[in-house]
Amino acid sequence: MKMIIGGKWVGKDETIDVLNPYDGSVVDTVPRGSAEDIDNAIAIAQKGYEINRDMPVHKRISILKRTAEIMQERYEDLAKTIATEGSKTIREARKEVGRAINTITISAEEARRINGETLPFDSAEGSENRVGYYYRFPIGIIGAITPFNDPLNLVAHKLGPAIAGGNSVVLKPATVTPLSALKLGECLLEAGLPGEILSIVTGYGHEIGDALVADPRIRMISFTGGVEAGERISKMAGLKKIGMELGSNSPVIVMDDCDLEQAVESCVSGAFWAVGQNCIGVQRIYIQKNVYDAFRDRFVERTKKYKTGFQLDEDTDMGPMITEGEAKRVIEWVEEAKNLGASVLTGGTRQGTLVQPTVMEKVPSQARLDCQEIFGPVVSLYPFDTLDEAIEKANGVEYGLHGAIFTKDLNNAFTAIKKMDVGGIMVNDSTDYRVDLMPFGGVKKSGLGREGIRYALQEMTEPKVVCFNL
Ligand code: NAP
Protein backbone atom coordinates (compact mmCIF):
# COMPACT_ATOMS: atom_id res chain seq x y z
CA MET A 1 0.00 0.00 0.00
CA LYS A 2 1.01 3.63 -0.37
CA MET A 3 1.08 6.05 2.54
CA ILE A 4 -1.30 8.98 2.99
CA ILE A 5 -0.01 12.56 2.96
CA GLY A 6 -2.66 15.23 3.22
CA GLY A 7 -5.29 12.75 2.03
CA LYS A 8 -3.29 11.72 -1.07
CA TRP A 9 -1.79 8.29 -1.63
CA VAL A 10 1.98 8.65 -1.96
CA GLY A 11 4.47 5.95 -2.97
CA LYS A 12 8.26 5.98 -2.72
CA ASP A 13 11.08 4.09 -4.39
CA GLU A 14 12.33 2.83 -1.06
CA THR A 15 9.87 0.52 0.62
CA ILE A 16 9.58 -1.58 3.78
CA ASP A 17 8.31 -5.17 3.64
CA VAL A 18 5.34 -6.00 5.82
CA LEU A 19 5.75 -9.62 6.93
CA ASN A 20 3.39 -12.28 8.19
CA PRO A 21 4.90 -13.11 11.58
CA TYR A 22 3.88 -16.78 11.24
CA ASP A 23 6.21 -17.63 8.33
CA GLY A 24 7.97 -14.40 7.40
CA SER A 25 6.22 -14.21 4.01
CA VAL A 26 5.82 -10.74 2.51
CA VAL A 27 2.22 -9.55 2.82
CA ASP A 28 2.73 -6.15 1.20
CA THR A 29 5.15 -3.23 1.14
CA VAL A 30 4.81 0.36 2.37
CA PRO A 31 6.88 3.44 1.58
CA ARG A 32 9.90 4.16 3.76
CA GLY A 33 8.84 7.67 4.74
CA SER A 34 11.47 10.33 5.52
CA ALA A 35 11.74 13.41 7.72
CA GLU A 36 10.88 15.42 4.60
CA ASP A 37 7.61 13.48 4.21
CA ILE A 38 6.77 14.29 7.82
CA ASP A 39 7.55 17.96 7.17
CA ASN A 40 5.22 17.97 4.11
CA ALA A 41 2.50 16.21 6.08
CA ILE A 42 2.71 18.79 8.89
CA ALA A 43 2.62 21.70 6.42
CA ILE A 44 -0.61 20.32 4.88
CA ALA A 45 -2.00 19.53 8.32
CA GLN A 46 -1.83 23.24 9.18
CA LYS A 47 -4.41 23.85 6.47
CA GLY A 48 -6.23 20.69 7.59
CA TYR A 49 -6.51 22.05 11.09
CA GLU A 50 -8.22 25.23 9.86
CA ILE A 51 -10.58 23.16 7.71
CA ASN A 52 -11.63 20.87 10.56
CA ARG A 53 -11.79 23.65 13.14
CA ASP A 54 -14.23 25.53 10.91
CA MET A 55 -16.25 22.46 9.92
CA PRO A 56 -19.71 22.28 11.53
CA VAL A 57 -19.90 19.53 14.13
CA HIS A 58 -22.76 17.79 12.31
CA LYS A 59 -20.44 17.30 9.35
CA ARG A 60 -17.70 15.77 11.49
CA ILE A 61 -20.36 13.50 12.97
CA SER A 62 -21.63 12.35 9.58
CA ILE A 63 -18.09 11.65 8.31
CA LEU A 64 -17.29 9.54 11.36
CA LYS A 65 -20.61 7.69 11.17
CA ARG A 66 -20.08 6.98 7.49
CA THR A 67 -16.55 5.74 8.30
CA ALA A 68 -18.02 3.26 10.79
CA GLU A 69 -20.46 2.04 8.10
CA ILE A 70 -17.66 1.52 5.59
CA MET A 71 -15.65 -0.37 8.21
CA GLN A 72 -18.69 -2.57 8.83
CA GLU A 73 -18.90 -3.32 5.09
CA ARG A 74 -15.17 -4.27 5.14
CA TYR A 75 -15.31 -6.17 8.43
CA GLU A 76 -13.74 -9.40 7.22
CA ASP A 77 -11.07 -7.71 5.11
CA LEU A 78 -10.01 -5.57 8.08
CA ALA A 79 -9.93 -8.65 10.33
CA LYS A 80 -7.79 -10.56 7.82
CA THR A 81 -5.40 -7.61 7.56
CA ILE A 82 -4.95 -7.53 11.36
CA ALA A 83 -4.45 -11.30 11.48
CA THR A 84 -2.00 -11.35 8.57
CA GLU A 85 0.34 -8.47 9.34
CA GLY A 86 0.06 -9.02 13.10
CA SER A 87 -0.08 -11.69 15.76
CA LYS A 88 -3.78 -11.95 16.46
CA THR A 89 -5.82 -14.96 15.48
CA ILE A 90 -8.67 -14.31 13.08
CA ARG A 91 -11.16 -14.66 15.96
CA GLU A 92 -9.24 -12.09 18.03
CA ALA A 93 -8.92 -9.84 14.98
CA ARG A 94 -12.69 -9.87 14.36
CA LYS A 95 -13.21 -8.68 17.93
CA GLU A 96 -10.76 -5.86 17.35
CA VAL A 97 -12.61 -4.74 14.21
CA GLY A 98 -15.88 -4.67 16.19
CA ARG A 99 -14.22 -2.55 18.84
CA ALA A 100 -12.67 -0.19 16.31
CA ILE A 101 -16.07 0.38 14.69
CA ASN A 102 -17.41 1.12 18.17
CA THR A 103 -14.53 3.54 18.84
CA ILE A 104 -15.26 5.49 15.66
CA THR A 105 -19.03 5.44 16.37
CA ILE A 106 -18.51 6.76 19.91
CA SER A 107 -16.22 9.45 18.49
CA ALA A 108 -19.13 10.57 16.29
CA GLU A 109 -21.45 10.62 19.32
CA GLU A 110 -19.01 12.44 21.59
CA ALA A 111 -18.40 15.13 18.97
CA ARG A 112 -21.78 16.61 19.93
CA ARG A 113 -20.93 16.62 23.63
CA ILE A 114 -17.81 18.79 23.64
CA ASN A 115 -19.31 21.26 26.06
CA GLY A 116 -18.13 24.25 28.03
CA GLU A 117 -19.93 26.09 30.85
CA THR A 118 -20.86 29.57 31.95
CA LEU A 119 -18.51 31.22 34.45
CA PRO A 120 -19.50 33.29 37.52
CA PHE A 121 -17.24 36.26 36.75
CA ASP A 122 -19.22 38.40 39.18
CA SER A 123 -18.00 36.27 42.09
CA ALA A 124 -14.78 38.30 41.98
CA GLU A 125 -15.00 41.83 43.35
CA GLY A 126 -14.65 44.35 40.55
CA SER A 127 -16.01 41.92 37.96
CA GLU A 128 -19.67 42.72 38.56
CA ASN A 129 -20.57 43.54 34.98
CA ARG A 130 -18.89 40.60 33.32
CA VAL A 131 -20.66 37.60 31.85
CA GLY A 132 -19.12 34.80 29.90
CA TYR A 133 -18.32 31.20 29.42
CA TYR A 134 -15.66 28.83 28.12
CA TYR A 135 -15.96 26.45 25.25
CA ARG A 136 -13.55 23.75 24.12
CA PHE A 137 -11.34 24.59 21.21
CA PRO A 138 -9.34 22.08 19.09
CA ILE A 139 -5.69 21.95 20.08
CA GLY A 140 -4.28 22.00 16.52
CA ILE A 141 -2.17 19.41 14.76
CA ILE A 142 -1.86 16.15 16.67
CA GLY A 143 1.12 13.86 16.14
CA ALA A 144 -0.01 10.30 16.85
CA ILE A 145 2.26 7.26 17.22
CA THR A 146 0.85 3.75 17.61
CA PRO A 147 2.14 0.25 18.49
CA PHE A 148 1.73 -3.08 16.70
CA ASN A 149 -0.45 -5.04 19.08
CA ASP A 150 -3.89 -3.51 18.31
CA PRO A 151 -3.04 -2.12 14.88
CA LEU A 152 -6.58 -0.96 14.06
CA ASN A 153 -8.35 -0.07 17.30
CA LEU A 154 -5.48 1.86 18.86
CA VAL A 155 -5.25 3.89 15.65
CA ALA A 156 -9.02 4.47 15.87
CA HIS A 157 -8.48 5.72 19.45
CA LYS A 158 -6.21 8.47 18.08
CA LEU A 159 -7.95 9.39 14.82
CA GLY A 160 -11.56 9.24 16.07
CA PRO A 161 -11.28 11.76 18.93
CA ALA A 162 -8.73 13.93 17.09
CA ILE A 163 -11.13 14.40 14.18
CA ALA A 164 -14.22 14.68 16.40
CA GLY A 165 -12.50 17.48 18.33
CA GLY A 166 -11.72 19.55 15.21
CA ASN A 167 -7.99 18.82 14.91
CA SER A 168 -5.82 17.52 12.10
CA VAL A 169 -3.56 14.48 12.55
CA VAL A 170 -0.24 13.15 11.36
CA LEU A 171 -0.07 9.48 12.37
CA LYS A 172 2.95 7.20 12.36
CA PRO A 173 1.81 3.58 12.75
CA ALA A 174 4.06 0.74 13.94
CA THR A 175 6.39 -0.30 11.14
CA VAL A 176 5.53 -3.99 11.46
CA THR A 177 1.74 -3.41 11.21
CA PRO A 178 1.02 -0.32 9.06
CA LEU A 179 -1.66 -1.82 6.78
CA SER A 180 -4.57 -1.78 9.25
CA ALA A 181 -3.92 1.92 9.93
CA LEU A 182 -3.79 2.75 6.21
CA LYS A 183 -7.05 0.86 5.64
CA LEU A 184 -8.73 2.88 8.38
CA GLY A 185 -7.37 6.03 6.73
CA GLU A 186 -8.88 4.81 3.46
CA CYS A 187 -12.30 4.42 5.13
CA LEU A 188 -12.12 7.96 6.56
CA LEU A 189 -11.20 9.49 3.21
CA GLU A 190 -13.93 7.58 1.39
CA ALA A 191 -16.37 8.78 4.03
CA GLY A 192 -15.63 12.34 2.93
CA LEU A 193 -12.94 13.50 5.36
CA PRO A 194 -11.17 16.45 3.73
CA GLY A 195 -7.74 15.09 2.83
CA GLU A 196 -5.73 17.88 4.46
CA ILE A 197 -6.92 16.69 7.87
CA LEU A 198 -5.22 13.28 7.69
CA SER A 199 -1.72 12.00 7.03
CA ILE A 200 -0.50 8.49 7.78
CA VAL A 201 3.25 8.42 7.22
CA THR A 202 4.87 4.99 7.22
CA GLY A 203 8.52 4.60 8.19
CA TYR A 204 10.86 3.67 11.01
CA GLY A 205 10.36 5.42 14.32
CA HIS A 206 14.09 5.90 14.78
CA GLU A 207 14.31 7.62 11.37
CA ILE A 208 11.22 9.83 11.25
CA GLY A 209 10.09 9.93 14.89
CA ASP A 210 12.11 12.98 15.92
CA ALA A 211 10.89 15.03 12.94
CA LEU A 212 7.32 14.44 14.08
CA VAL A 213 7.82 14.70 17.82
CA ALA A 214 10.08 17.76 17.95
CA ASP A 215 8.24 19.91 15.38
CA PRO A 216 6.82 23.01 17.09
CA ARG A 217 3.82 23.09 14.72
CA ILE A 218 2.59 19.89 16.38
CA ARG A 219 0.60 20.89 19.48
CA MET A 220 0.17 17.45 21.03
CA ILE A 221 1.89 14.09 20.83
CA SER A 222 -0.43 11.19 21.51
CA PHE A 223 1.76 8.13 21.96
CA THR A 224 0.94 4.48 22.68
CA GLY A 225 3.88 2.11 23.00
CA GLY A 226 6.73 1.03 25.22
CA VAL A 227 8.32 2.98 28.08
CA GLU A 228 11.69 3.34 26.37
CA ALA A 229 10.29 5.08 23.28
CA GLY A 230 7.84 7.01 25.50
CA GLU A 231 10.64 8.45 27.61
CA ARG A 232 12.66 9.47 24.56
CA ILE A 233 9.61 11.10 22.99
CA SER A 234 8.85 13.02 26.20
CA LYS A 235 12.37 14.45 26.16
CA MET A 236 12.25 15.36 22.45
CA ALA A 237 8.77 16.88 22.44
CA GLY A 238 9.55 20.25 23.98
CA LEU A 239 6.71 22.61 24.78
CA LYS A 240 3.66 20.66 23.72
CA LYS A 241 0.99 18.50 25.28
CA ILE A 242 1.85 14.82 25.74
CA GLY A 243 -0.42 11.79 26.09
CA MET A 244 1.43 8.58 27.02
CA GLU A 245 -0.19 5.14 27.02
CA LEU A 246 2.65 2.84 28.03
CA GLY A 247 3.23 -0.69 29.26
CA SER A 248 2.55 -2.69 32.39
CA ASN A 249 2.92 -6.12 34.05
CA SER A 250 -0.58 -6.38 35.42
CA PRO A 251 -1.34 -8.08 38.76
CA VAL A 252 -4.43 -10.13 39.63
CA ILE A 253 -5.33 -11.07 43.23
CA VAL A 254 -7.32 -14.29 43.73
CA MET A 255 -9.01 -14.52 47.17
CA ASP A 256 -10.04 -17.88 48.64
CA ASP A 257 -13.73 -16.80 48.71
CA CYS A 258 -13.98 -16.25 44.95
CA ASP A 259 -15.54 -18.33 42.19
CA LEU A 260 -12.35 -20.21 41.29
CA GLU A 261 -13.60 -21.51 37.95
CA GLN A 262 -14.48 -17.98 36.83
CA ALA A 263 -11.10 -16.69 38.01
CA VAL A 264 -9.20 -19.40 36.11
CA GLU A 265 -11.12 -18.87 32.85
CA SER A 266 -10.77 -15.10 32.99
CA CYS A 267 -7.05 -15.17 33.89
CA VAL A 268 -6.11 -17.75 31.22
CA SER A 269 -7.79 -15.64 28.56
CA GLY A 270 -6.27 -12.44 30.01
CA ALA A 271 -2.77 -13.92 30.04
CA PHE A 272 -2.72 -15.32 26.50
CA TRP A 273 -4.91 -12.90 24.50
CA ALA A 274 -2.91 -11.70 21.48
CA VAL A 275 -0.03 -13.97 22.58
CA GLY A 276 0.27 -11.92 25.75
CA GLN A 277 1.23 -8.89 23.64
CA ASN A 278 -1.30 -6.79 25.47
CA CYS A 279 -0.64 -3.79 27.70
CA ILE A 280 -3.28 -5.00 30.20
CA GLY A 281 -2.44 -8.71 29.82
CA VAL A 282 -2.32 -10.75 33.05
CA GLN A 283 1.34 -11.23 34.04
CA ARG A 284 1.36 -11.82 37.82
CA ILE A 285 -1.33 -13.77 39.70
CA TYR A 286 -1.33 -13.68 43.52
CA ILE A 287 -3.40 -16.57 44.91
CA GLN A 288 -4.46 -17.02 48.53
CA LYS A 289 -2.58 -20.00 49.98
CA ASN A 290 -5.47 -22.36 50.72
CA VAL A 291 -6.71 -22.25 47.11
CA TYR A 292 -3.27 -22.01 45.48
CA ASP A 293 -2.95 -25.68 44.49
CA ALA A 294 -6.51 -25.92 43.18
CA PHE A 295 -6.12 -22.71 41.13
CA ARG A 296 -2.69 -23.72 39.80
CA ASP A 297 -3.81 -27.19 38.72
CA ARG A 298 -6.88 -25.91 36.89
CA PHE A 299 -4.94 -23.03 35.35
CA VAL A 300 -2.24 -25.35 33.98
CA GLU A 301 -4.81 -27.88 32.74
CA ARG A 302 -6.71 -25.10 30.92
CA THR A 303 -3.50 -23.63 29.46
CA LYS A 304 -2.43 -27.01 28.07
CA LYS A 305 -5.59 -27.05 25.94
CA TYR A 306 -4.51 -23.91 24.06
CA LYS A 307 -3.83 -24.56 20.38
CA THR A 308 -1.04 -22.40 18.96
CA GLY A 309 -0.53 -22.05 15.23
CA PHE A 310 -1.42 -20.17 12.05
CA GLN A 311 -3.44 -17.06 12.89
CA LEU A 312 -5.96 -17.47 10.08
CA ASP A 313 -7.04 -21.00 11.08
CA GLU A 314 -10.41 -20.70 12.79
CA ASP A 315 -9.46 -23.14 15.55
CA THR A 316 -6.14 -21.51 16.51
CA ASP A 317 -6.26 -20.08 20.04
CA MET A 318 -2.90 -18.32 19.98
CA GLY A 319 -0.91 -17.08 16.98
CA PRO A 320 2.80 -16.25 16.57
CA MET A 321 4.71 -13.51 18.35
CA ILE A 322 5.28 -10.41 16.25
CA THR A 323 8.93 -11.23 15.42
CA GLU A 324 11.37 -14.05 16.08
CA GLY A 325 13.52 -11.61 18.04
CA GLU A 326 10.61 -11.03 20.43
CA ALA A 327 9.99 -14.79 20.74
CA LYS A 328 13.68 -15.31 21.58
CA ARG A 329 13.56 -12.54 24.19
CA VAL A 330 10.57 -14.13 25.91
CA ILE A 331 12.33 -17.50 26.17
CA GLU A 332 15.48 -15.75 27.41
CA TRP A 333 13.49 -14.18 30.27
CA VAL A 334 11.97 -17.59 31.10
CA GLU A 335 15.46 -19.16 31.17
CA GLU A 336 16.75 -16.35 33.37
CA ALA A 337 13.93 -16.94 35.88
CA LYS A 338 14.60 -20.70 35.79
CA ASN A 339 18.29 -20.12 36.52
CA LEU A 340 17.25 -18.00 39.49
CA GLY A 341 15.11 -20.85 40.90
CA ALA A 342 11.71 -20.54 39.15
CA SER A 343 9.77 -23.59 37.89
CA VAL A 344 8.02 -23.93 34.54
CA LEU A 345 4.63 -25.62 35.02
CA THR A 346 3.86 -25.76 31.30
CA GLY A 347 5.31 -24.20 28.13
CA GLY A 348 8.66 -22.42 28.13
CA THR A 349 9.56 -23.49 24.58
CA ARG A 350 9.24 -22.03 21.10
CA GLN A 351 9.41 -22.95 17.45
CA GLY A 352 10.24 -19.89 15.35
CA THR A 353 7.76 -17.21 16.37
CA LEU A 354 5.40 -19.68 18.06
CA VAL A 355 5.90 -19.57 21.84
CA GLN A 356 3.96 -22.10 23.90
CA PRO A 357 1.69 -20.52 26.53
CA THR A 358 3.82 -20.61 29.65
CA VAL A 359 2.92 -20.82 33.33
CA MET A 360 5.63 -20.30 35.99
CA GLU A 361 5.87 -20.40 39.76
CA LYS A 362 8.51 -19.54 42.37
CA VAL A 363 9.70 -16.61 40.19
CA PRO A 364 12.10 -14.57 42.36
CA SER A 365 11.88 -10.80 42.55
CA GLN A 366 15.22 -10.24 40.83
CA ALA A 367 13.98 -11.97 37.64
CA ARG A 368 12.84 -9.63 34.85
CA LEU A 369 9.68 -11.75 34.60
CA ASP A 370 8.69 -10.53 38.04
CA CYS A 371 9.32 -6.81 37.76
CA GLN A 372 9.36 -5.85 34.07
CA GLU A 373 6.82 -6.14 31.27
CA ILE A 374 7.09 -9.52 29.52
CA PHE A 375 4.72 -8.62 26.63
CA GLY A 376 4.49 -12.30 25.75
CA PRO A 377 2.53 -15.44 26.74
CA VAL A 378 4.09 -15.99 30.16
CA VAL A 379 2.28 -15.76 33.47
CA SER A 380 3.65 -16.25 36.99
CA LEU A 381 1.73 -17.61 40.00
CA TYR A 382 2.50 -16.59 43.59
CA PRO A 383 0.90 -17.78 46.87
CA PHE A 384 0.03 -15.24 49.63
CA ASP A 385 -1.48 -15.22 53.13
CA THR A 386 -3.16 -11.83 53.62
CA LEU A 387 -4.71 -9.33 51.24
CA ASP A 388 -2.38 -6.58 52.46
CA GLU A 389 0.61 -8.74 51.56
CA ALA A 390 -0.80 -9.38 48.07
CA ILE A 391 -1.48 -5.69 47.49
CA GLU A 392 2.02 -4.78 48.59
CA LYS A 393 3.49 -7.24 46.11
CA ALA A 394 1.10 -6.14 43.35
CA ASN A 395 2.18 -2.52 43.90
CA GLY A 396 5.88 -3.31 44.15
CA VAL A 397 6.68 -2.55 40.50
CA GLU A 398 7.23 0.55 38.42
CA TYR A 399 3.98 0.09 36.46
CA GLY A 400 0.30 0.64 37.25
CA LEU A 401 -2.15 0.30 34.36
CA HIS A 402 -4.81 -2.21 35.43
CA GLY A 403 -5.17 -4.38 38.53
CA ALA A 404 -7.80 -7.01 39.35
CA ILE A 405 -9.23 -8.91 42.29
CA PHE A 406 -11.45 -12.00 42.37
CA THR A 407 -13.54 -12.08 45.54
CA LYS A 408 -17.13 -12.28 46.79
CA ASP A 409 -16.33 -10.14 49.82
CA LEU A 410 -17.12 -6.44 49.42
CA ASN A 411 -14.56 -5.47 52.05
CA ASN A 412 -11.79 -7.22 50.14
CA ALA A 413 -12.91 -5.56 46.93
CA PHE A 414 -12.96 -2.08 48.46
CA THR A 415 -9.60 -2.58 50.16
CA ALA A 416 -8.06 -3.45 46.79
CA ILE A 417 -9.85 -0.55 45.06
CA LYS A 418 -8.45 1.85 47.63
CA LYS A 419 -4.92 0.51 47.90
CA MET A 420 -3.92 -0.79 44.47
CA ASP A 421 -1.80 1.70 42.57
CA VAL A 422 -3.36 1.49 39.12
CA GLY A 423 -5.40 3.45 36.58
CA GLY A 424 -8.23 0.89 36.61
CA ILE A 425 -9.26 -2.00 38.82
CA MET A 426 -11.48 -4.90 37.80
CA VAL A 427 -13.46 -6.84 40.38
CA ASN A 428 -14.19 -10.41 39.22
CA ASP A 429 -12.68 -9.85 35.79
CA SER A 430 -9.05 -10.13 34.82
CA THR A 431 -6.93 -7.02 34.15
CA ASP A 432 -7.56 -7.57 30.45
CA TYR A 433 -11.13 -6.23 30.69
CA ARG A 434 -11.68 -2.99 28.78
CA VAL A 435 -14.43 -1.26 26.87
CA ASP A 436 -13.57 1.65 24.63
CA LEU A 437 -15.64 4.32 26.34
CA MET A 438 -14.00 4.08 29.75
CA PRO A 439 -11.15 6.37 30.84
CA PHE A 440 -8.08 4.29 30.10
CA GLY A 441 -4.53 4.95 31.21
CA GLY A 442 -2.00 4.31 33.90
CA VAL A 443 -0.03 5.65 36.83
CA LYS A 444 3.71 5.50 37.46
CA LYS A 445 5.60 4.32 34.33
CA SER A 446 2.38 3.16 32.67
CA GLY A 447 1.65 6.61 31.38
CA LEU A 448 0.22 10.09 31.48
CA GLY A 449 -3.31 11.19 30.64
CA ARG A 450 -6.29 9.08 29.62
CA GLU A 451 -7.79 7.69 26.42
CA GLY A 452 -11.33 6.39 25.96
CA ILE A 453 -12.97 8.75 23.52
CA ARG A 454 -14.59 11.29 25.84
CA TYR A 455 -11.38 11.53 27.90
CA ALA A 456 -9.13 11.72 24.84
CA LEU A 457 -11.34 14.57 23.63
CA GLN A 458 -10.61 16.46 26.83
CA GLU A 459 -6.89 16.02 26.16
CA MET A 460 -7.22 16.96 22.48
CA THR A 461 -9.18 20.19 23.07
CA GLU A 462 -8.52 23.20 25.28
CA PRO A 463 -10.86 25.60 27.05
CA LYS A 464 -11.16 29.04 25.47
CA VAL A 465 -12.61 31.65 27.81
CA VAL A 466 -15.02 34.29 26.53
CA CYS A 467 -15.83 37.29 28.72
CA PHE A 468 -18.19 40.21 27.96
CA ASN A 469 -17.79 43.47 29.88
CA LEU A 470 -21.31 44.88 29.75
P1 NAP B 1 7.35 0.58 20.70
O1 NAP B 1 8.52 -0.18 20.25
O2 NAP B 1 7.52 1.57 21.80
O3 NAP B 1 6.76 1.30 19.40
C1 NAP B 1 5.57 2.03 19.43
C2 NAP B 1 5.60 3.06 18.33
O4 NAP B 1 6.60 4.02 18.62
C3 NAP B 1 5.93 2.49 16.95
O5 NAP B 1 5.17 3.15 15.98
C4 NAP B 1 7.40 2.83 16.81
O6 NAP B 1 7.85 2.90 15.49
C5 NAP B 1 7.41 4.18 17.47
N1 NAP B 1 8.73 4.65 17.87
C6 NAP B 1 9.77 3.94 18.31
N2 NAP B 1 10.81 4.76 18.56
C7 NAP B 1 10.40 6.01 18.30
C8 NAP B 1 11.01 7.30 18.37
N3 NAP B 1 12.26 7.47 18.78
N4 NAP B 1 10.29 8.38 18.01
C9 NAP B 1 9.02 8.24 17.60
N5 NAP B 1 8.39 7.05 17.49
C10 NAP B 1 9.07 5.95 17.85
O7 NAP B 1 6.17 -0.38 21.17
P2 NAP B 1 5.59 -1.67 20.45
O8 NAP B 1 6.58 -2.78 20.57
O9 NAP B 1 5.03 -1.34 19.10
O10 NAP B 1 4.34 -1.95 21.41
C11 NAP B 1 4.47 -2.58 22.63
C12 NAP B 1 4.41 -1.61 23.80
O11 NAP B 1 3.26 -0.79 23.71
C13 NAP B 1 4.26 -2.37 25.10
O12 NAP B 1 5.09 -1.81 26.08
C14 NAP B 1 2.81 -2.17 25.46
O13 NAP B 1 2.51 -2.30 26.82
C15 NAP B 1 2.57 -0.80 24.95
N6 NAP B 1 1.13 -0.57 24.75
C16 NAP B 1 0.46 0.27 25.60
C17 NAP B 1 -0.92 0.46 25.46
C18 NAP B 1 -1.69 1.38 26.35
O14 NAP B 1 -2.77 1.81 25.95
N7 NAP B 1 -1.21 1.69 27.54
C19 NAP B 1 -1.59 -0.21 24.45
C20 NAP B 1 -0.89 -1.06 23.61
C21 NAP B 1 0.48 -1.22 23.77
P3 NAP B 1 8.55 1.64 14.79
O15 NAP B 1 7.50 0.60 14.72
O16 NAP B 1 8.99 2.17 13.49
O17 NAP B 1 9.69 1.24 15.68
Side-chain angles (χ1 to χ4, degrees), residues 138-264:
I139 197 166
I141 309 174
I142 293 177
I145 302 173
T146 48
F148 73 84
N149 61 314
D150 289 310
L152 184 69
N153 193 34
L154 291 179
V155 172
H157 268 283
K158 310 282 184 210
L159 301 185
I163 292 165
N167 305 284
S168 59
V169 203
V170 178
L171 172 92
K172 195 213 90 59
T175 299
V176 283
T177 56
L179 304 175
S180 307
L182 290 167
K183 288 194 173 183
L184 175 54
E186 192 172 33
C187 295
L188 281 157
L189 295 173
E190 282 183 34
L193 184 77
E196 294 86 342
I197 295 172
L198 179 67
S199 289
I200 300 182
V201 183
T202 51
Y204 297 111
H206 61 267
E207 286 182 3
I208 62 173
D210 288 357
L212 179 65
V213 169
D215 194 296
R217 292 169 293 178
I218 300 272
R219 296 306 307 137
M220 176 183 183
I221 290 291
S222 176
F223 174 76
T224 302
V227 172
E228 203 181 313
E231 281 184 334
R232 185 191 157 86
I233 287 167
S234 302
K235 286 188 190 122
M236 289 297 299
L239 202 59
K240 53 175 68 84
K241 211 166 174 181
I242 294 179
M244 287 278 150
E245 299 286 338
L246 307 177
S248 192
N249 51 7
S250 303
V252 177
I253 296 174
V254 178
M255 303 300 295
D256 61 5
D257 61 47
C258 79
D259 178 337
L260 216 56
E261 209 50 61
Q262 180 198 12
V264 169

Side-chain angles (χ1 to χ4, degrees), residues 115-130:
N115 300 322
E117 59 182 14
T118 53
L119 296 167
F121 286 101
D122 64 353
S123 63
E125 230 179 278
S127 276
E128 287 77 10
N129 297 321
R130 269 77 171 189

Side-chain angles (χ1 to χ4, degrees), residues 402-406 424-433 438:
H402 273 188
I405 181 165
F406 285 86
I425 175 151
M426 307 303 134
V427 180
N428 295 327
D429 262 312
S430 93
T431 50
D432 180 36
Y433 181 78
M438 69 194 214

Side-chain angles (χ1 to χ4, degrees), residues 21 86-88 148-150 270-281 319-323 326-327 329-330 353 373-377:
S87 284
K88 282 188 174 169
F148 73 84
N149 61 314
D150 289 310
F272 304 126
W273 181 263
V275 206
Q277 298 165 127
N278 177 3
C279 57
I280 46 178
M321 291 208 63
I322 193 69
T323 60
E326 275 297 280
R329 179 189 58 78
V330 164
T353 48
E373 178 185 39
I374 180 68
F375 219 61

